[in-house]
Amino acid sequence: MDLSMKWLSDFVDVSDKSIKDFCYDMTMSGSKVEGYTPEGKDITNVVVGQVLSVVPHDNSDHLVVCQVDVGTERLQIVTGAQNVNSGNYVPVALNNSTVLHDGKPVKIKNGKLRGVESNGMLCSLEELGLTVHDFPYAIEDGIFILGDDCDKTLGKEIKEAIGFNDTTVEFEITSNRPDCLSVLGLAREAAATYGIKRTLKEPSYKGIDGNIEDELSVEIKNPKLCSRYIAGIVKNVKIEPSPRWMRERLRASGVRPINNFVDITNYVMLEYGQPMHAFDLRYVNGNSIIIRNAKQGEKIVTLDGEERTLSEEMLVIADKDKPVAVAGIMGGEYSGIMSDTTTVVFEAACFDGASVRRTAKKLGMRSDASARFEKGLSPKNCYPAIMRAFELVEELGAGEVYNTIIDRDCSQVSENPVEFDSEWINSFLGTDIPESDMIEYLKRLDFEVRDGKCYAPYVRIDIACKADIAEEVARIYGYNNIPSTLLKGVAEARRTPEQRFIKSVQSSMVSMGLNEIETYSFISPKYFDRISLDGDSRLRDAVTITNPLGEDTSVMRTTIIPSMCETLARNYNYRNMKASLFELGNEYIKTQDGKLPNEPVRLCIGMYDSNGETDFYSLKGIIEELLNVISITEYDVELAGTSCAFDEYRAFHPGRVAVLKKNDVEFGIFGELHPSVLENYDIGTRTYIAKLNVPEMMALADAEKTYKPLPKYPAATRDLSLVCDDKMPVASLEKAIKSAVGKTLEKVTLFDVYKGEQIERGKKSVSYSITMRSHEGTLTDEQADAAMKRILKSLKELGAELRA
């Protein structure tokens, strides 16, 4: 928001403040200033002069020699301009002055032109940094001849004489403060900052008799998107340039003056923060204004000359036949004010901010009006704004205003007071501000405190809770006046138990030499076929992405295994001889209530080695070490089949896949990938995959680790070789051994599995090393032998016998 300091002075007097102090103080009170720019800062030593005579140059057919009075002296100046006549008042650049050329400052010094002395230069608008929009009566490519709206005191600084001496302050207005996108809003802030009086009068106008309802009708068909619409009519309009004071303020605010009616709408928008629009009644077919949603494919040519295609969610201002404006953004081609316009309809309305934002973005057009509407405006601001517009019409003599208006008010604005608690505010801010001072600060901002409640002015749509009130008090009291206080209590960042568990899993994987990867959570539905997932598997019912980049990223993954397979395949095809990878990622499982999916964390391990040094047991060893680190014991490793809890089991080689199970909970599956899956991924070597459910592992892990002292007594070790059925799981044998030995068992280690000529067909030989130790004393041979007898008895019941 660019603020004209001259305009601000209409409402609040800050003339005793330097511009730097003003910018600092406003920033400290919450209205951040980006910078300030004095008008004509590059124009120096240029004054008002009067041309006394103009004679032809002796050595040129296009130059003339002028005698010019600048108050303190008479100067001879040579110029090539053809519009200079005796008696004209003109800007004169004296010796060592600075003017603009192509927008850049240049120095002017005395010299000679075709042998004739020229002591200065007569200036055009461009050389002063102005355009014909600032002075419509001037000639664009000639010398600027001062009109009656300029001060013609000879020798006067030209910037003061023509009103080019304002200062523009640029404010950064946050999205929650649309009230500050106006001169009145910033005047309120300035008055509150300095605790000074603000001058404000209610706009009024006389008007002429006339019933507007006889000439115009207004209908709101979508009150949700247009909460209020006020229309008024001006007859017998006179389209002409605005007065200099209005053009000056618009220019300082970054708005180009056009004509009196367009300038009035822009002036009111800048002063009140309420966008307005003016229609030529001739082009409103049927004299009907209808606020409705556009029809699909409907078109409008906007004021910028571009044809726009509209859609049904967009709001338009229409007559009985067509749209005449895109609501809150820009008018149509024939809705503007033209030189022969005689009757004008003024509009002040309140449109839904979100709707304006979406429409502006979709159409690729933003305007000063849309920038204000999209931040949210109060419908109560419409009435004073249109009254101010009518007041300006009469002040400028631009037409005759009907003393009746059409006001379609669908708003349901009610007071929403916020609790006022001075003790809470002091506690919240860490201050000791008296309640009376708080009330005074709020009063400066037009807040009202009564009956323990705080009532914000209607323009402050951002006030919703006690913290908002505390903020208003704090910024007027002064943030720099709030004492520094130490934090109460202890601020300590800690990981949650889940985060600690995942960190432990991650550290274990890295310590075992695996590389961590991270893949996208969105995949292609074709991935399910590549891992041979059953056609009726629940994992095929994936969450679909509404706006995917393509089919390959159109659904959220329900299994992490395809992501790992893709990465392994890429490494294999890049001719990496081996890979050991892991990923901690989410799966996305639909819920029955149709709300957001569950997002369980999964650990996926993937391995291959083209030299054959990695096998099923390599992967099993990694998993066993991990489970040992996270304290999961007494688990079972069972052959996976159609009845297992993992739908991905068909991705594995039958007979080379196992599930991890504890307390009837299957928390993992691992094994060798099926040859057909390897073919699908174009992997030419045996590959091993594991998927472990992290939440289930966390629930099964022992939360507390028990300290075990170093043993005081020696261990007794026995080796055992058994013959059993080939299909007998070694885990069953280990379980029987552990049960038979009891609490003195320290470790059971499988060190050999043999199948060959010396073993009966359908049988296998397994060998264990059994370590026993007592913490109460040294085990005797008799105790160890007794334990071995119990082991053999238990194993015999399983069908395993001691190998001869």
Side-chain angles (χ1 to χ4, degrees):
M1 172 69 186
D2 291 338
L3 175 67
S4 159
M5 293 301 291
K6 281 187 179 181
W7 201 341
L8 178 69
S9 65
D10 284 357
F11 306 105
V12 61
D13 184 9
V14 291
S15 57
D16 59 332
K17 314 294 180 185
S18 71
I19 187 63
K20 289 186 177 180
D21 287 343
F22 174 79
C23 294
Y24 174 81
D25 294 338
M26 290 294 285
T27 297
M28 293 304 295
S29 67
S31 302
K32 184 183 176 185
V33 174
E34 289 290 296
Y36 67 90
T37 305
E39 280 188 329
K41 60 185 179 65
D42 294 321
I43 308 301
T44 61
N45 206 19
V46 181
V47 300
V48 176
Q50 184 180 23
V51 178
L52 300 178
S53 65
V54 180
V55 297
H57 193 292
D58 292 338
N59 300 319
S60 173
D61 57 359
H62 70 278
L63 295 178
V64 293
V65 180
C66 303
Q67 301 298 321
V68 183
D69 185 359
V70 294
T72 57
E73 59 180 325
R74 293 188 178 185
L75 302 174
Q76 178 173 285
I77 297 176
V78 179
T79 180
Q82 302 301 308
N83 66 317
V84 178
N85 296 298
S86 176
N88 290 158
Y89 289 86
V90 294
V92 180
L94 306 178
N95 186 40
N96 290 322
S97 60
T98 305
V99 296
L100 295 176
H101 178 69
D102 292 335
K104 298 179 180 179
V106 294
K107 279 283 187 182
I108 301 299
K109 293 183 177 293
N110 292 342
K112 288 185 178 182
L113 287 176
R114 296 286 182 93
V116 177
E117 285 190 2
S118 181
N119 301 314
M121 185 180 76
L122 307 185
C123 299
S124 65
L125 283 174
E126 182 183 3
E127 288 157 343
L128 298 177
L130 299 169
T131 70
V132 290
H133 294 285
D134 301 302
F135 292 92
Y137 55 79
I139 297 175
E140 189 168 10
D141 56 354
I143 299 301
F144 175 31
I145 308 301
L146 274 59
D148 293 337
D149 56 355
C150 300
D151 186 343
K152 298 178 180 179
T153 303
L154 298 181
K156 192 176 187 68
E157 179 81 21
I158 192 64
K159 291 184 290 187
E160 293 184 18
I162 65 175
F164 194 40
N165 57 343
D166 202 347
T167 298
T168 299
V169 178
E170 182 186 356
F171 285 87
E172 179 187 323
I173 307 300
T174 54
S175 59
N176 66 320
R177 292 298 306 275
D179 61 295
C180 286
L181 288 170
S182 66
V183 177
L184 286 177
L186 291 173
R188 182 187 300 108
E189 293 295 311
T193 298
Y194 293 111
I196 56 181
K197 184 180 179 181
R198 178 165 52 104
T199 303
L200 181 64
K201 68 180 184 68
E202 292 293 328
S204 61
Y205 69 101
K206 295 179 181 179
I208 61 171
D209 292 336
N211 186 359
I212 189 174
E213 301 276 0
D214 294 337
E215 299 196 35
L216 186 69
S217 65
V218 174
E219 180 184 3
I220 299 177
K221 289 195 172 182
N222 191 337
K224 289 185 178 180
L225 300 186
C226 177
S227 56
R228 191 174 190 181
Y229 192 99
I230 303 178
I233 285 183
V234 181
K235 289 276 193 176
N236 300 321
V237 302
K238 299 175 184 177
I239 306 301
E240 56 189 11
S242 302
R244 196 191 86 181
W245 62 266
M246 180 175 282
R247 300 196 305 269
E248 285 178 12
R249 294 182 177 187
L250 292 174
R251 179 185 65 231
S253 302
V255 176
R256 186 181 68 181
I258 303 295
N259 59 50
N260 50 0
F261 273 88
V262 175
D263 293 350
I264 286 172
T265 60
N266 287 329
Y267 192 91
V268 173
M269 179 183 69
L270 292 170
E271 189 170 70
Y272 280 76
Q274 172 64 47
M276 296 189 66
H277 194 65
F279 298 97
D280 188 329
L281 187 58
R282 288 179 301 175
Y283 299 108
V284 179
N285 292 351
N287 285 22
S288 299
I289 290 179
I290 305 167
I291 301 92
R292 60 171 174 83
N293 286 78
K295 299 172 185 176
Q296 188 64 38
E298 200 168 21
K299 297 182 183 296
I300 182 175
V301 178
T302 47
L303 282 172
D304 57 4
E306 295 288 331
E307 184 179 71
R308 315 279 180 178
T309 302
L310 308 174
S311 53
E312 293 178 346
E313 74 276 7
M314 299 177 182
L315 194 71
V316 297
I317 313 300
D319 57 25
K320 71 172 186 176
D321 300 322
K322 64 186 185 307
V324 294
V326 183
I329 302 175
M330 189 178 290
E333 181 180 24
Y334 296 107
S335 68
I337 305 302
M338 304 178 187
S339 59
D340 59 345
T341 298
T342 58
T343 304
V344 168
V345 177
F346 268 109
E347 161 203 295
C350 186
F351 303 111
D352 177 70
S355 173
V356 171
R357 170 68 176 167
R358 287 192 297 268
T359 301
K361 187 174 182 180
K362 189 168 184 179
L363 294 178
M365 53 190 292
R366 293 193 75 216
S367 61
D368 288 338
S370 68
R372 286 167 169 78
F373 277 123
E374 66 190 29
K375 291 177 176 62
L377 297 179
S378 170
K380 288 187 176 182
N381 203 36
C382 296
Y383 183 79
I386 202 166
M387 291 298 105
R388 176 59 168 154
F390 293 156
E391 182 179 59
L392 288 170
V393 169
E394 288 193 342
E395 183 179 340
L396 272 57
E400 298 173 336
V401 185
Y402 272 17
N403 55 15
T404 57
I405 61 172
I406 296 175
D407 187 358
R408 300 288 184 257
D409 190 354
C410 307
S411 64
Q412 297 178 347
V413 180
S414 59
E415 289 185 324
N416 294 309
V418 176
E419 180 184 353
F420 177 76
D421 186 342
S422 58
E423 292 185 5
W424 184 90
I425 292 174
N426 275 323
S427 174
F428 183 70
L429 298 177
T431 56
D432 189 20
I433 305 172
E435 181 178 304
S436 58
D437 288 357
M438 292 184 186
I439 295 174
E440 171 59 24
Y441 298 153
L442 293 170
K443 185 178 179 182
R444 293 186 199 175
L445 293 165
D446 293 345
F447 286 71
E448 184 180 353
V449 179
R450 64 176 188 272
D451 302 327
K453 301 287 185 180
C454 187
Y455 296 82
Y458 67 82
V459 293
R460 292 300 303 276
I461 62 173
D462 59 309
I463 303 300
C465 61
K466 290 194 294 184
D468 294 330
I469 302 299
E471 180 185 4
E472 299 303 301
V473 170
R475 65 191 187 87
I476 302 303
Y477 174 69
Y479 293 122
N480 54 332
N481 294 325
I482 298 177
S484 301
T485 56
L486 295 174
L487 289 174
K488 296 179 181 179
V490 179
E492 183 178 355
R494 295 182 179 179
R495 289 192 177 101
T496 64
E498 181 182 7
Q499 289 172 329
R500 291 198 297 271
F501 184 81
I502 291 176
K503 185 67 175 177
S504 176
V505 172
Q506 184 182 40
S507 299
S508 298
M509 291 290 100
V510 173
S511 67
M512 286 186 277
L514 280 77
N515 295 304
E516 186 174 10
I517 64 171
E518 186 172 353
T519 59
Y520 289 118
S521 298
F522 30 88
I523 63 173
S524 168
K526 296 177 182 178
Y527 281 19
F528 300 136
D529 296 327
R530 299 183 77 177
I531 62 168
S532 302
L533 200 63
D534 282 344
D536 58 351
S537 171
R538 61 187 178 85
L539 298 182
R540 287 184 177 270
D541 186 17
V543 175
T544 303
I545 299 173
T546 304
N547 55 341
L549 297 175
E551 185 183 2
D552 289 344
T553 56
S554 60
V555 299
M556 304 299 292
R557 68 184 176 198
T558 54
T559 172
I560 198 172
I561 289 178
S563 300
M564 177 60 73
C565 291
E566 287 286 333
T567 305
L568 291 172
R570 189 177 303 113
N571 277 272
Y572 181 80
N573 291 321
Y574 287 168
R575 299 190 179 183
N576 290 324
M577 296 301 293
K578 61 180 180 179
S580 298
L581 311 175
F582 79 95
E583 178 178 12
L584 281 161
N586 296 92
E587 293 178 344
Y588 300 84
I589 310 300
K590 277 188 177 180
T591 55
Q592 293 182 351
D593 58 11
K595 295 182 180 179
L596 291 175
N598 292 324
E599 301 179 19
V601 180
R602 304 300 188 218
L603 169 64
C604 191
I605 304 172
M607 307 171 66
Y608 72 81
D609 190 329
S610 299
N611 297 321
E613 296 179 3
T614 295
D615 59 15
F616 177 90
Y617 296 103
S618 303
L619 178 58
K620 183 173 181 286
I622 290 173
I623 295 171
E624 288 175 342
E625 178 60 23
L626 170 66
L627 298 180
N628 178 57
V629 170
I630 62 178
S631 301
I632 296 181
T633 59
E634 304 298 329
Y635 57 87
D636 296 323
V637 181
E638 299 179 356
L639 184 66
T642 57
S643 61
C644 79
F646 294 90
D647 286 13
E648 304 97 328
Y649 75 93
R650 291 190 182 276
F652 295 91
H653 193 299
R656 298 176 188 173
V657 57
V659 293
L660 299 164
K661 187 174 182 180
K662 181 176 181 178
N663 300 337
D664 295 327
V665 176
E666 294 182 4
F667 62 90
I669 185 170
F670 67 98
E672 181 181 332
L673 284 181
H674 195 284
S676 64
V677 174
L678 293 176
E679 185 178 349
N680 290 339
Y681 283 100
D682 196 21
I683 300 176
T685 188
R686 288 186 173 185
T687 302
Y688 304 90
I689 295 283
K691 170 184 166 181
L692 304 178
N693 296 346
V694 174
E696 286 84 344
M697 288 197 299
M698 183 177 175
L700 294 170
D702 293 333
E704 296 183 1
K705 293 184 180 293
T706 304
Y707 167 73
K708 292 181 180 180
L710 291 173
K712 295 181 180 180
Y713 305 103
T717 303
R718 297 286 190 274
D719 290 342
L720 186 65
S721 292
L722 304 167
V723 177
C724 62
D725 289 341
D726 189 19
K727 294 184 178 180
M728 172 71 69
V730 292
S732 299
L733 300 176
E734 290 181 6
K735 186 182 294 185
I737 293 171
K738 291 176 182 178
S739 177
V741 177
K743 64 180 182 180
T744 59
L745 180 69
E746 185 173 88
K747 183 169 60 174
V748 178
T749 304
L750 174 68
F751 66 85
D752 184 56
V753 177
Y754 174 74
K755 299 176 188 178
E757 296 179 356
Q758 301 178 21
I759 302 297
E760 183 182 347
R761 188 177 181 85
K763 300 285 186 177
K764 64 182 176 182
S765 171
V766 291
S767 300
Y768 288 98
S769 175
I770 302 170
T771 304
M772 295 172 283
R773 192 192 305 269
S774 172
H775 293 280
E776 298 175 356
T778 303
L779 285 175
T780 64
D781 289 341
E782 290 78 7
Q783 290 173 316
D785 292 341
M788 292 301 296
K789 289 179 181 179
R790 293 195 302 273
I791 291 173
L792 292 173
K793 181 181 178 181
S794 180
L795 292 173
K796 189 173 183 179
E797 294 175 357
L798 292 176
E801 297 179 352
L802 191 64
R803 180 179 176 182

